[in-house]
Amino acid sequence: MSFLYGNNVLKSGLARITESTPQYAGVVVYNLADIPLGFGVAAQTTDACKELDPTANVVLHQADVGEFLRGLEDDMF
């Protein structure tokens, strides 16, 4: 869930990935209930992800649904 706080997706936080995703492709990030959480850029190819250590970045954060709420919180205080 740290993706909703503006962080990148690590391999340890990855449940599944589309086959043959190229590096730097635009991706949509979903939770386990298939609800879209935001989007980002693939940091690695699908094949490269299989060999990465658990702390490596898989998706680089671009935007998420929590940004609106974080923006409101800043305006309130």
Side-chain angles (χ1 to χ4, degrees):
M1 281 301 191
S2 72
F3 182 78
L4 293 177
Y5 294 102
N7 297 318
N8 298 326
V9 177
L10 303 179
K11 183 183 176 192
S12 61
L14 189 68
R16 59 185 172 207
I17 187 170
T18 304
E19 290 296 322
S20 303
T21 302
Q23 189 175 19
Y24 306 122
V27 295
V28 177
V29 177
Y30 293 89
N31 67 5
L32 291 175
D34 289 334
I35 298 172
L37 300 177
F39 59 92
V41 175
Q44 306 290 335
T45 64
T46 301
D47 294 332
C49 288
K50 297 175 184 175
E51 301 168 4
L52 293 175
D53 63 311
T55 60
N57 287 327
V58 176
V59 176
L60 303 175
H61 180 272
Q62 292 290 312
D64 63 79
V65 295
E67 286 185 20
F68 175 74
L69 296 175
R70 290 191 303 272
L72 282 181
E73 187 176 89
D74 292 340
D75 292 340
M76 292 171 65
F77 301 106

